[in-house]
């Protein structure tokens, strides 16, 4: 219990990164980016954050921003969203149960991305059938949030679709994922 476990060569690096950067807005989670917009995956240990992040990278073409620990920074420039990045000691690494700590290829990585969506990973029974808007504050910014079960086969596709919905609604308030916004009334011809 006190010494390193076989196949866990990255544990010390993860713990060091946590200690060094906890004060800089670092949280437990994973982040991947699809089309430059990050999804922050949160949940308790064993909830499937790394597994889902890897499936998004390998099945959906996402790029890994961070695994295990995510640094959050306030918005920069004209983009009003908080920024996600990996602590220096963890850049490019992901924990894959059964394989250990794996370094991904450069083409599968992104150094930093604005967070467009938060996904809280929950038990299947806790996933709402008809969610209402439920944003979460990240670095002082209301960010759309949804709850999913990481190990559902459709989870990567749902995240991809949710990001598209967020992008479509970007012109309005960041009110979360829920029922679609009402369509504008058609204009009448004069």
């Amino acid at each position: 219990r006190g010494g390193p476990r076989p196949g866990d060569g990255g544990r010390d690096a993860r713990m060091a990164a946590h200690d060094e950067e906890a004060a800089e807005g670092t949280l437990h989670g994973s982040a991947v980016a699809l089309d430059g917009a990050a999804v922050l995956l949160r949940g308790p240990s064993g909830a499937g954050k790394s597994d889902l992040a890897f499936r998004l990278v390998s099945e959906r073409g996402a790029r890994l921003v961070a695994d295990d620990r995510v640094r959050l920074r306030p918005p920069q420039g004209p983009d009003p969203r908080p920024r996600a990045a990996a602590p220096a000691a963890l850049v490019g690494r992901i924990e894959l149960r059964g394989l250990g700590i794996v370094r991904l290829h450069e083409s599968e990585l992104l150094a930093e991305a604005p967070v467009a969506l938060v996904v809280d990973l929950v038990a299947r029974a806790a996933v709402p059938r008809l969610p209402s808007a439920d944003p979460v504050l990240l670095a002082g910014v209301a960010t759309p949030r949804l709850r999913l079960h990481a190990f559902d086969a459709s989870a990567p596709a749902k995240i991809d679709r949710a990001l598209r919905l967020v992008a479509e609604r970007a012109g309005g308030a960041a009110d979360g994922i829920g029922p679609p916004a009402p369509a504008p009334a058609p204009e009448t011809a004069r």
Side-chain angles (χ1 to χ4, degrees):
R1 186 174 171 113
R5 293 177 292 167
D8 194 22
R11 183 176 189 282
D12 291 340
R14 289 193 311 272
M15 293 309 292
H18 170 65
D19 294 341
E20 292 169 10
E21 301 191 49
E24 294 184 27
T26 303
L27 56 86
H28 181 74
S30 295
V32 297
L34 283 157
D35 297 323
V39 177
L40 176 62
L41 305 172
R42 305 187 311 178
S45 182
K49 297 177 295 295
S50 298
D51 185 88
L52 182 53
F54 183 67
R55 286 188 289 142
L56 285 161
V57 169
S58 63
E59 297 171 10
R60 292 279 170 176
R63 296 174 73 188
L64 180 71
V65 175
D67 183 53
D68 192 51
R69 305 297 307 168
V70 180
R71 281 186 20 226
L72 281 181
R73 294 197 307 218
Q76 298 173 346
D79 193 330
R81 300 174 293 186
R83 316 267 316 158
L90 302 179
V91 170
R93 296 182 175 137
I94 188 168
E95 180 181 351
L96 300 176
R97 288 185 190 235
L99 294 179
I101 306 297
V102 175
R103 182 175 295 280
L104 296 184
H105 189 271
E106 187 71 26
S107 66
E108 298 171 310
L109 305 174
L110 188 62
E112 182 179 276
V115 179
L117 178 66
V118 174
V119 177
D120 285 335
L121 300 177
V122 298
R124 186 173 283 116
V127 175
R129 291 183 65 198
L130 300 170
S132 58
D134 185 24
V136 62
L137 282 180
L138 281 184
V141 178
T143 305
R145 168 177 49 180
L146 54 99
R147 291 167 180 84
L148 295 176
H149 182 65
F151 301 108
D152 282 346
S154 62
K158 288 176 182 175
I159 290 172
D160 194 3
R161 179 59 55 98
L163 273 175
R164 283 194 249 151
L165 290 171
V166 167
E168 288 172 9
R169 297 177 187 172
D175 61 352
I177 304 295
E187 291 188 32
T188 56
R190 292 186 180 191

